[in-house]
């Protein structure tokens, strides 16, 4: 079978390509070729810029794929061009969306279900233009794909993901907590930021993608993906501390104290308003989705970051000395 992966090989794309090759697919990668990988001649490579729509269309308009997996569709025109390019010669177009499509609506049902998508949009919160626009564009893409499927012209499958974890995660959000555990000092949760952690492991996302390829009943549908276990952030951090043999206190600090010390909420990246909480039961029932236990995937991801990763520290770790000053004052 032939599969095209649109997107990089930094994180999800790397794990997906590895799994597709393991399953016997002939894989073509389309990206800008900026991230090294170890696939060598096992894959066919097409180097290009997704935003060069004319070149994208001319490159692929005569190609036939059993599955096209789009990891980097961020604006409606990206996917409109893809639909025009692959119409009538693709088995399935698999699109990776986000749980943020629920967060910009008036939906009050938690965890969010697929049908909760159909809610009135909220106005953009002041100062939150970038994450709001991200969710809005993903919704516009999903609306386009729903219409394209219902009109009978395009066979898409959509996945809505929360925060994704795993080796090679370039966002470094989890790593920023791991560094704080390693240094032995207290971990700060901003006031009101002890949020629910129902994220997802990257290899579970990959397995879900592979599970729908050539399964006709999945075409036109959308699936939430998320881990089975529900934790709040303090519980999640205490689990990490235990796995790292640490003794760090976990403190919830009033926002006024953070402001006094000029500490942004970003020192705890899982405490923000844009962390989705999804219900994966439809994917469990329909495609047999099963999530890896949190303890199990953390036991893989922690050693990756602490022993193998050699890149830069997360930007938010530069606030660590100030955090330590604040927590020393709070604890004494």
């Amino acid at each position: 079978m032939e599969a095209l992966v649109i997107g990089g090989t930094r994180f999800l794309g790397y794990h997906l390509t590895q799994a597709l090759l393991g399953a016997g697919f002939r894989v073509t990668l389309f990206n800008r070729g900026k991230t090294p990988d170890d696939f060598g001649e096992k894959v066919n490579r097409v180097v290009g810029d997704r935003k060069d729509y004319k070149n994208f269309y001319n490159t692929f308009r005569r190609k036939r794929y059993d599955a096209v997996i789009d990891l980097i569709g961020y604006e409606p025109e990206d996917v409109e061009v893809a639909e025009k390019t692959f119409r009538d010669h693709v088995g399935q177009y698999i699109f990776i969306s986000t749980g943020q499509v629920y967060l910009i609506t008036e939906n009050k049902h938690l965890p969010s279900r697929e049908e909760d998508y159909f809610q009135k949009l909220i106005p953009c919160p002041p100062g939150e233009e970038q994450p709001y626009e991200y969710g809005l564009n993903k919704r516009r893409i999903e609306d386009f794909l729903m219409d394209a499927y219902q009109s009978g012209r395009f066979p898409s499958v959509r996945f809505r993901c929360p925060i994704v974890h795993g080796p090679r995660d370039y966002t470094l959000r989890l790593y920023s907590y791991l560094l704080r555990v390693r240094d032995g000092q207290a971990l700060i949760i901003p006031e009101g930021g002890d949020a629910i952690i129902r994220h997802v492991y990257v290899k579970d996302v990959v397995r879900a993608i592979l599970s729908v390829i050539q399964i006709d009943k999945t075409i036109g549908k959308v699936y939430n993906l998320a881990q089975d276990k529900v934790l709040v952030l303090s519980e999640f951090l205490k689990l990490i501390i235990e796995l790292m043999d640490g003794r760090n206190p976990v403190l919830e600090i009033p926002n006024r104290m953070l402001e006094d010390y000029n500490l942004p909420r970003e020192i705890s990246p899982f405490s923000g308003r844009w962390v989705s909480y999804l219900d994966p039961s439809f994917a469990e029932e329909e495609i047999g989705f099963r999530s890896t236990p949190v303890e199990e995937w953390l036991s893989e991801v922690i050693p990756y970051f602490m022993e193998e990763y050699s890149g830069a520290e997360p930007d938010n770790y530069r606030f660590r000395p100030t955090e330590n000053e604040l927590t020393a004052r709070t604890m004494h």
Side-chain angles (χ1 to χ4, degrees):
M1 290 187 289
E2 299 279 351
L4 170 67
V5 178
I6 303 173
T9 52
R10 294 173 73 188
F11 181 33
L12 176 56
Y14 177 85
H15 294 287
L16 175 61
T17 300
Q18 197 172 52
L20 286 167
L21 291 171
F25 284 82
R26 291 182 294 275
V27 180
T28 298
L29 300 179
F30 175 78
N31 54 51
R32 292 177 295 176
K34 292 187 174 183
T35 303
D37 62 64
D38 53 7
F39 298 124
E41 296 182 357
K42 297 176 185 176
V43 301
N44 178 40
R45 300 171 191 276
V46 180
V47 177
D49 188 337
R50 172 70 179 272
K51 295 298 183 182
D52 186 347
Y53 296 132
K54 183 177 180 180
N55 181 64
F56 184 91
Y57 177 77
N58 289 334
T59 299
F60 292 111
R61 66 190 180 95
R62 299 189 188 281
K63 303 288 186 181
R64 172 69 169 80
Y65 295 100
D66 298 288
V68 172
I69 304 106
D70 190 347
L71 307 179
I72 54 168
Y74 298 122
E75 296 178 358
E77 194 173 1
D78 298 342
V79 176
E80 290 166 11
V81 170
E83 185 272 335
K84 179 182 177 183
T85 302
F86 297 110
R87 189 187 304 167
D88 300 326
H89 51 101
V90 65
Q92 285 169 310
Y93 174 86
I94 299 170
F95 178 72
I96 304 303
S97 189
T98 171
Q100 231 154 289
V101 298
Y102 302 108
L103 297 178
I104 64 169
T105 74
E106 293 181 347
N107 173 48
K108 300 296 190 297
H109 184 272
L110 293 174
S112 300
R113 303 162 301 193
E114 286 81 359
E115 58 267 28
D116 294 322
Y117 178 88
F118 302 99
Q119 303 282 342
K120 183 179 178 181
L121 299 184
I122 61 170
C124 178
E128 301 285 355
E129 289 78 11
Q130 185 174 354
Y132 183 90
E133 191 69 17
Y134 173 73
L136 186 61
N137 279 333
K138 287 287 192 177
R139 285 184 67 93
R140 288 170 174 159
I141 291 169
E142 286 207 41
D143 291 345
F144 172 79
L145 289 173
M146 283 191 282
D147 178 70
Y149 166 72
Q150 289 167 359
S151 67
R153 70 177 191 270
F154 204 56
S156 64
V157 182
R158 292 163 285 137
F159 288 104
R160 294 176 186 150
C161 298
I163 289 172
V164 181
H165 294 288
R168 301 177 67 97
D169 175 15
Y170 57 86
T171 71
L172 305 183
R173 289 173 291 193
L174 179 62
Y175 183 42
S176 71
Y177 290 105
L178 303 183
L179 287 175
R180 287 168 167 84
V181 173
R182 185 177 68 179
D183 69 28
Q185 303 300 308
L187 277 71
I188 290 176
I189 296 177
E191 180 183 352
D194 199 7
I196 287 173
I197 299 290
R198 200 176 198 183
H199 299 170
V200 71
Y201 177 47
V202 65
K203 293 182 182 179
D204 293 339
V205 177
V206 166
R207 281 190 285 270
I209 292 170
L210 265 66
S211 75
V212 303
I213 296 176
Q214 291 199 317
I215 305 299
D216 290 343
K217 71 175 183 178
T218 66
I219 294 175
K221 294 180 181 177
V222 59
Y223 301 97
N224 287 342
L225 301 180
Q227 67 190 35
D228 179 59
K229 192 169 187 175
V230 179
L231 302 165
V232 294
L233 178 56
S234 57
E235 293 171 326
F236 182 68
L237 294 178
K238 288 171 185 176
L239 176 57
I240 291 172
I241 292 165
E242 179 182 344
L243 290 171
M244 293 180 69
D245 296 322
R247 296 185 178 181
N248 313 63
V250 177
L251 307 176
E252 188 164 352
I253 301 294
N255 292 328
R256 60 175 176 77
M257 294 185 69
L258 296 179
E259 292 167 3
D260 288 344
Y261 280 75
N262 294 314
L263 288 172
R265 289 181 70 90
E266 286 73 24
I267 60 171
S268 178
F270 300 156
S271 292
R273 69 175 295 155
W274 302 106
V275 179
S276 54
Y277 174 27
L278 308 184
D279 183 346
S281 27
F282 180 57
E284 292 169 352
E285 295 164 9
E286 175 106 348
I287 61 173
F289 175 73
R290 296 293 181 270
S291 63
T292 302
V294 178
E295 298 84 354
E296 187 176 321
W297 65 253
L298 276 173
S299 295
E300 176 185 354
V301 177
I302 291 171
Y304 166 79
F305 277 114
M306 306 317 290
E307 299 168 16
E308 297 181 42
Y309 174 75
S310 59
E313 291 181 345
D315 182 66
N316 71 22
Y317 195 63
R318 63 193 168 94
F319 295 103
R320 191 57 170 160
T322 308
E323 294 172 43
N324 293 339
E325 290 178 25
L326 171 55
T327 55
R329 170 188 165 187
T330 303
M331 295 171 66
H332 296 95

